[in-house]
Amino acid sequence: EAQVTQNPRYLITVTGKKLTVTCSQNMNHEYMSWYRQDPGLGLRQIYYSMNVEVTDKGDVPEGYKVSRKEKRNFPLILESPSPNQTSLYFCASSPRTPPSQYFGPGTRLTVL
Amino acid sequence: AQSVTQLGSHVSVSEGALVLLRCNYSSSVPPYLFWYVQYPNQGLQLLLKYTSAATLVKGINGFEAEFKKSETSFHLTKPSAHMSDAAEYFCAVTADSGAGSYQLTFGKGTKLSVIP
């Protein structure tokens, strides 16, 4: 089944404790991206990647890191999480540009 | 730079009535435009997209949208609302920002309620 998977789906952590949210797609898509969704703000793009080893900042990249070492994986790294990063995070992938994306199920992150 | 404005954070319609969700965009280069739907506790699903072909775009579930360059709009419509259409709808824009790089920008969303 074609899909985008994210892990974990739910995470509660404390300020400053490094964490990684994994994202994987099995559709051989070139384009992948991360978003955060907050009430009243819609979705905001954090980082995106046009292909392996190519990443670009989105609208809200501060406090996040990404890497794209393999085509299928695009992990989101929070080196030192803070409470303002509490949010619902979505990973997405797309087969071509312009990107019309397939979204993962979301990861709800709470930083205490 | 690009941006999206969705007019109305909440829209209520009666079952069987016309659905109209408004989206205006700003882009310095020719844009590509999308509408997504999000049902409660789910991810986003693509409804339709405009990629510089026909200006009237038909999508899934009976929705359609018309690209109007002169008005910088991409409003979403459906002739007759169903209860199952109750969800949050997001308009999004992207464009080639150089070297084939595409940043995607979403609007803040419009929550559609359908009244029986």
Side-chain angles (χ1 to χ4, degrees):
Chain A
E1 179 189 353
Q3 60 183 353
V4 178
T5 58
Q6 299 178 225
N7 283 292
R9 295 288 313 281
Y10 302 90
L11 178 60
I12 301 175
T13 189
V14 295
T15 299
K17 185 176 182 182
K18 180 179 178 180
L19 66 92
T20 299
V21 184
T22 64
C23 174
S24 181
Q25 49 93 4
N26 62 0
M27 297 168 279
N28 201 36
H29 287 172
E30 294 184 345
Y31 187 101
M32 297 186 73
S33 59
W34 277 103
Y35 301 87
R36 60 177 291 172
Q37 183 177 22
D38 302 288
L41 297 179
L43 279 86
R44 292 177 291 169
Q45 194 172 39
I46 302 170
Y47 272 95
Y48 62 102
S49 169
M50 301 296 295
N51 213 327
V52 176
E53 302 291 0
V54 179
T55 61
D56 284 297
K57 295 178 181 179
D59 292 318
V60 288
E62 295 77 19
Y64 304 94
K65 286 176 58 177
V66 293
S67 67
R68 187 90 182 274
K69 299 188 185 307
E70 306 168 276
K71 199 170 189 178
R72 63 182 292 131
N73 296 323
F74 191 46
L76 179 69
I77 303 159
L78 284 71
E79 295 270 3
S80 182
S82 62
N84 64 12
Q85 293 179 298
T86 293
S87 187
L88 179 58
Y89 291 86
F90 287 101
C91 179
S93 72
S94 177
R96 63 185 67 84
T97 54
S100 54
Q101 303 187 70
Y102 295 80
F103 280 80
T107 295
R108 187 166 293 281
L109 172 66
T110 301
V111 183
L112 302 175
Chain B
Q2 59 200 27
S3 66
V4 174
T5 301
Q6 290 184 240
L7 300 175
S9 57
H10 289 87
V11 170
S12 292
V13 300
S14 298
E15 191 174 16
L18 171 71
V19 176
L20 171 60
L21 304 182
R22 300 178 186 272
C23 172
N24 288 89
Y25 70 91
S26 171
S27 177
S28 57
V29 296
Y32 302 98
L33 295 155
F34 309 87
W35 276 99
Y36 291 86
V37 60
Q38 185 179 33
Y39 297 103
N41 299 313
Q42 294 189 25
L44 278 78
Q45 179 183 4
L46 180 67
L47 270 180
L48 49 80
K49 60 183 178 183
Y50 165 75
T51 56
S52 74
T55 56
L56 182 62
V57 181
K58 294 187 184 298
I60 62 172
N61 301 339
F63 284 93
E64 63 181 36
E66 186 171 8
F67 173 70
K68 292 186 176 180
K69 183 178 179 180
S70 61
E71 299 177 9
T72 61
S73 69
F74 190 58
H75 302 330
L76 181 71
T77 60
K78 182 174 180 177
S80 176
H82 293 181
M83 296 299 296
S84 60
D85 294 328
E88 191 159 19
Y89 293 79
F90 293 92
C91 181
V93 63
T94 190
D96 186 350
S97 55
S101 180
Y102 288 83
Q103 180 178 341
L104 196 62
T105 300
F106 282 80
K108 295 183 178 182
T110 298
K111 192 162 289 187
L112 176 67
S113 299
V114 182
I115 304 165

